[in-house]
Amino acid sequence: MNKDELIALDDRGIAAWDTHDVDAFAAMFADNFGYTDDTIQGTMTSLDQVREYMSGWFTAFPDMKVEE
């Protein structure tokens, strides 16, 4: 990826996060991935796990937004 593609990907991720769009966020993942976070044990490897994880964040913090 070049710089412009990385910026566009970041913008998509931030937009999905800020609108709490779980499906748009999950759609950014490759077919085969591993996603780790210090707030959970283990590694997420399925889109269902990512959707559940993100839904948990959005439920706990309904006003959460990314500030750049």
Side-chain angles (χ1 to χ4, degrees):
M1 295 185 113
N2 65 36
K3 181 180 176 182
D4 290 336
E5 291 169 327
L6 287 172
I7 290 170
L9 181 64
D10 186 55
D11 289 345
R12 281 179 46 209
I14 290 172
W17 187 278
D18 283 350
T19 60
H20 297 189
D21 189 338
V22 174
D23 291 324
F25 191 82
M28 296 176 54
F29 286 79
D31 292 337
N32 186 13
F33 69 90
Y35 183 34
T36 60
D37 188 291
D38 291 339
T39 64
I40 63 168
Q41 289 184 328
T43 301
M44 291 177 271
T45 57
S46 76
L47 295 179
D48 286 339
Q49 289 172 310
V50 171
R51 286 184 188 99
E52 182 179 341
Y53 170 77
M54 296 310 299
S55 293
W57 275 101
F58 299 150
T59 299
F61 303 101
D63 297 333
M64 180 171 51
K65 300 270 187 207
V66 175
E67 290 190 24
E68 296 182 64

